[in-house]
């Protein structure tokens, strides 16, 4: 079993590699996000151990690009307790498992073995509404085969609506799912962003996929019309 370790703390990376070797794994090490991504895409690994705080490219970006490139190698994220991201974020990013630093090698190896048993994660399904489709894994959106470029926030907003087709979702629901938990701004921001998304997915195509339900919120028409 070949494991790629992407970790910039050289002492820790060496210790992980040594620990894995003792357990019979072959470990490759990359010390920054750019090199790590290259190895992950161009070489074959059974699992990846990925630190989040990395020079040149964050672990967050590495994981996003990896999945966008349709590399489904299981990823175990290393999170610092006081770090920028927490465990829930790590899983949201498309990681398969996480460990908080500091951790013991026994636990790391147990997590890796469990990951390897599970195998590569299933690719998330593409969400569709008529001829509108959105691929959460590849971060792509199309209408009738034509690519639509969305910002990260617009993408998340449309993804949320597509996961609730033909349901009325309130601005508060949207705010809670699409914006940071602690966002204490006005729900008007939702209106603004729904406007942005409509200008990209509806207006140019003469559609009204996202309906305003007066006094209640929005409803995405599952037919995409
Ligand atoms: Ca680090």
């Amino acid at each position: 079993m070949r494991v790629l370790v992407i970790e910039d703390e050289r002492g820790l990376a060496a210790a992980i590699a040594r620990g894995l070797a003792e357990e019979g794994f072959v470990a490759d090490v990359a010390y920054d996000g750019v090199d790590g991504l290259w190895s992950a895409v161009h070489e074959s690994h059974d699992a990846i151990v990925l630190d989040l705080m990395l020079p040149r490219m964050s672990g967050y970006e590495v994981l996003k690009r990896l999945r966008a490139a349709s590399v489904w190698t299981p990823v175990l994220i290393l999170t610092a307790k006081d770090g920028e991201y927490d465990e829930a974020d790590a899983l949201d990013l498309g990681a398969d498992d996480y460990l908080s630093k500091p951790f013991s090698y026994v636990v790391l190896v147990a997590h890796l073995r469990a990951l390897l048993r599970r195998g590569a994660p299933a690719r998330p399904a593409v969400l569709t509404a008529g001829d509108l489709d959105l691929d959460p894994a590849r971060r792509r959106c199309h209408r009738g085969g034509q690519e639509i470029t969305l910002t990260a926030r617009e993408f998340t907003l449309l993804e949320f609506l597509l996961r609730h087709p033909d349901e009325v979702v309130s601005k508060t629901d949207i705010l809670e799912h699409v914006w940071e938990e602690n966002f204490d701004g006005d729900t008007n921001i939702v209106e603004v962003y729904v406007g942005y998304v409509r200008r990209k997915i509806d207006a140019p195509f003469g559609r009204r996929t996202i309906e305003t339900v007066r006094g209640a919120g929005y409803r995405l028409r599952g037919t995409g019309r």
Side-chain angles (χ1 to χ4, degrees), residues 64 68 135-141 147 151-153 155-156 159:
K64 214 168 74 181
D135 185 337
R138 291 170 188 259
R139 309 294 294 174
R140 292 255 170 87
C141 176
E147 178 138 23
T151 64
R153 184 81 66 195
F155 194 97
T156 309
E159 181 179 351

Side-chain angles (χ1 to χ4, degrees), residues 41-58:
V41 171
H42 293 93
E43 297 163 358
S44 173
H45 296 98
D46 299 293
I48 297 168
V49 176
L50 176 65
D51 184 31
L52 282 178
M53 304 294 185
L54 290 167
R56 297 178 75 199
M57 186 188 288
S58 71

Side-chain angles (χ1 to χ4, degrees), residues 7-9 51 53-54 101:
E7 167 63 74
D8 60 311
E9 290 163 54
D51 184 31
M53 304 294 185
L54 290 167
K101 292 179 182 176

Side-chain angles (χ1 to χ4, degrees), residues 69-90:
S70 295
V71 175
W72 303 106
T73 312
V75 171
L76 186 152
I77 290 242
L78 300 179
T79 61
K81 274 213 171 86
D82 53 351
E84 196 180 335
Y85 304 98
D86 63 15
E87 291 97 13
D89 287 334

Side-chain angles (χ1 to χ4, degrees), residues 165-224:
D166 300 314
E167 278 175 41
V168 178
V169 288
S170 70
K171 286 180 196 169
T172 309
D173 283 341
I174 295 173
L175 205 57
E176 281 173 5
H177 286 89
V178 178
W179 272 263
E180 293 73 29
E181 218 171 296
N182 305 320
F183 182 81
D184 53 5
D186 202 295
T187 52
N188 283 336
I189 188 99
V190 174
E191 258 170 72
V192 171
Y193 273 84
V194 166
Y196 293 157
V197 172
R198 279 175 169 154
R199 252 173 270 160
K200 291 183 176 180
I201 67 154
D202 278 349
F205 303 92
R207 308 292 178 79
R208 296 192 58 195
T209 308
I210 304 175
E211 297 175 315
T212 301
V213 183
R214 213 159 277 285
Y218 299 98
R219 181 171 47 215
L220 180 133
R221 295 161 86 174
T223 59

Side-chain angles (χ1 to χ4, degrees), residues 16-129:
I16 294 173
R18 206 167 43 235
L20 291 176
E22 277 167 20
E23 294 293 327
F25 291 93
V26 176
D28 294 327
V29 180
Y31 300 107
D32 66 59
V34 173
D35 286 351
L37 178 64
W38 192 92
S39 292
V41 171
H42 293 93
E43 297 163 358
S44 173
H45 296 98
D46 299 293
I48 297 168
V49 176
L50 176 65
D51 184 31
L52 282 178
M53 304 294 185
L54 290 167
R56 297 178 75 199
M57 186 188 288
S58 71
Y60 171 94
E61 194 62 28
V62 171
L63 183 53
K64 214 168 74 181
R65 294 196 188 191
L66 208 54
R67 297 309 189 220
S70 295
V71 175
W72 303 106
T73 312
V75 171
L76 186 152
I77 290 242
L78 300 179
T79 61
K81 274 213 171 86
D82 53 351
E84 196 180 335
Y85 304 98
D86 63 15
E87 291 97 13
D89 287 334
L91 298 180
D92 265 0
L93 299 180
D96 302 280
D97 197 2
Y98 64 87
L99 266 184
S100 298
K101 292 179 182 176
F103 52 84
S104 77
Y105 300 111
V106 178
V107 172
L108 174 65
V109 167
H111 278 248
L112 279 176
R113 290 205 192 285
L115 263 190
L116 293 170
R117 270 198 305 275
R118 269 195 267 155
R123 190 181 146 200
V126 174
L127 301 165
T128 60

